[in-house]
Structures are given as C-alpha cells and as structure tokens.
Amino acid sequence: MKIKYFAHSAFQITTNSGYTILIDPFLDDNPLSPVKSKDVKADFIILTHAHGDHVGDSLKIAKKYDPLFICVNELAEWIKAKGFKAHNMHIGGSHNFDFGKIKFTIAHHGSMTPDNQYAGEPAGVLITIEGKTIYHTGDTGLFYDMKLIGEMNPIDYMFLPIGDNYTMGITDAVKAVELANPKVATPIHFNTFPIIQADPQLFKKLVEAKGLKCKVMGFGEEIEV
Ligand code: NI
Ligand code: MN
C-alpha cells in the first residue's frame, strides 16, 4: 500500500487492491497541505473525531465520491443526517472491510461537530491492511493503555500528535512511542497553527535516543510500505 501525508492529521492510504482511504481530510483550510480537496478522491473516509480540523473537507469530498465513512456511532449518525453513508462503530470494536480491518481505541480529547453537535467520544484507530498495522492515535493526551494497545496489536506505523496545547507535546509523545512500541513513529498535528508549533526533528532525536525509529514525513510525501 501507499501512505501519503497531507500535514496535520490527514492521510491518504492507497491499497494494492485499489481502494483510496482518507483519514481526517483537513485540506482546504490547512495552510500546510499542498493538496486540496478538489485533488483527492475517496472510497472510504475514516474520522477520529468531529473537530473541524479532522472532519475537514469530508462532506465536500463525499458529495463527489459518496465514500463510506467509518467512525464512532454518534459521529456516524451526524454524517448520515447530512445525507452520506456511514458505518457506525465504537471504541474497542473492530470490523473487517473490503480493504482491511479497522479497530477503534480510546483517545483522551473532546468531540463536537463544526455545527456544534455532540459527536460521541473521540477515538484513535488501528488500521490493518495487507499485513501491516497503522495506529493513528487521533488527538489525544498521553495514556498508559497505549502499552496494552501495542502489546495486543503489534504496530508497524504509529502516527501521533506532538503539537502540544490540544494534544500531547513532544515529551509526552516520546513516552507514547515507548509505550506503544511501533516499528516506526511519525509525528503529526504540529505547525499547522501558531499554537501548535513543535520541532519534528527534536521529536525524532528523542525517539531515536530511546532506541526507537522515527520517520518525519514531509507535507505531501508519499511512502510505499
Ligand atoms: Ni481535536
Ligand atoms: Mn485536532
């Protein structure tokens, strides 16, 4: 599969079987994303929670491509009320889709839609495709259960916030990598706004000092895994 990073928490996964999956596609108002919503397509959209910088351009993209949204129940109901397709899940649950397996985890954060509707609990997500597992933590503070998540679901790629203020900052994110023990950690949710400035190279240095691997993905960079 191919994984493309758009900056902030937004990713695109292209599977070998030909599916395009977007995660938290915040593009048009994302000053760091070189790609805008008109440039992407989607068969599936995974949302970690309902904040504007995660729902992003989902509805705009959905109008063109009618993807299946995958998210927690309350947010899925909001998506359906907007006229789109959603698969309702919840934290701790997993489900096999045509492209692979999705499992939602806890995240310590909030969740409210851009039009101020309650959207259930925020989540992290484990995505297993073609034998590889990605753990996108969503927006969250540090929590010790990341150790359990990593033990029970060996993680190849961990995408986690380092921008502080709303989420983990660098010190807590380094501890999160130690707990979850992924093969590779990639920092996200930084430098998009002045309040979340953080140095990804410092994060990388600190992760590597623990004997763990870090890949800082460029904005718009795509890797084949
Ligand atoms: Ni958020
Ligand atoms: Mn956020």
Side-chain angles (χ1 to χ4, degrees):
M1 74 180 125
K2 286 189 282 191
I3 302 172
K4 187 168 188 172
Y5 183 42
F6 296 129
H8 209 59
S9 292
F11 287 87
Q12 170 185 283
I13 297 171
T14 309
T15 69
N16 292 340
S17 48
Y19 293 110
T20 303
I21 303 152
L22 300 179
I23 309 169
D24 290 357
F26 171 58
L27 306 173
D28 292 350
D29 294 331
N30 178 345
L32 300 180
S33 177
V35 175
K36 297 300 167 193
S37 66
K38 63 173 175 43
D39 306 317
V40 298
K41 64 183 177 102
D43 300 305
F44 298 89
I45 296 179
I46 299 167
L47 298 178
T48 60
H49 65 293
H51 287 155
D53 57 321
H54 297 260
V55 168
D57 305 298
S58 292
L59 302 183
K60 215 183 281 180
I61 296 163
K63 257 181 216 156
K64 265 166 84 180
Y65 296 102
D66 197 28
L68 181 67
F69 282 83
I70 303 170
C71 50
V72 300
N73 178 70
E74 292 81 358
L75 179 52
E77 288 300 314
W78 181 78
I79 295 287
K80 287 176 178 173
K82 298 287 182 193
F84 302 109
K85 299 182 300 191
H87 181 103
N88 302 39
M89 293 186 68
H90 233 303
I91 291 160
S94 62
H95 185 78
N96 287 310
F97 294 87
D98 287 347
F99 63 85
K101 185 174 142 189
I102 294 293
K103 182 177 187 180
F104 282 100
T105 74
I106 59 167
H108 291 307
H109 194 64
S111 188
M112 182 184 268
T113 65
D115 54 2
N116 296 333
Q117 301 297 304
Y118 170 69
E121 295 295 309
V125 62
L126 292 156
I127 306 164
T128 303
I129 298 173
E130 295 156 12
K132 296 247 162 61
T133 296
I134 297 162
Y135 175 28
H136 188 306
T137 69
D139 283 2
T140 186
L142 175 63
F143 57 91
Y144 201 75
D145 284 2
M146 285 178 175
K147 187 171 166 62
L148 183 63
I149 291 169
E151 278 174 11
M152 296 193 68
N153 313 270
I155 298 159
D156 293 282
Y157 297 91
M158 182 179 189
F159 303 149
L160 76 167
I162 64 163
D164 218 339
N165 193 75
Y166 301 113
T167 67
M168 294 183 278
I170 286 178
T171 306
D172 285 12
V174 171
K175 177 54 78 175
V177 177
E178 280 189 271
L179 290 173
N181 193 32
K183 287 195 182 125
V184 182
T186 291
I188 65 172
H189 211 273
F190 63 91
N191 292 359
T192 322
F193 313 111
I195 192 78
I196 58 169
Q197 293 297 316
D199 178 2
Q201 295 303 332
L202 172 63
F203 172 74
K204 180 181 164 76
K205 212 166 91 182
L206 295 171
V207 166
E208 287 173 349
K210 302 285 182 188
L212 296 157
K213 276 199 184 139
C214 174
K215 161 123 182 98
V216 177
M217 287 184 75
F219 304 142
E221 182 178 354
E222 186 166 56
I223 56 171
E224 178 120 38
V225 304

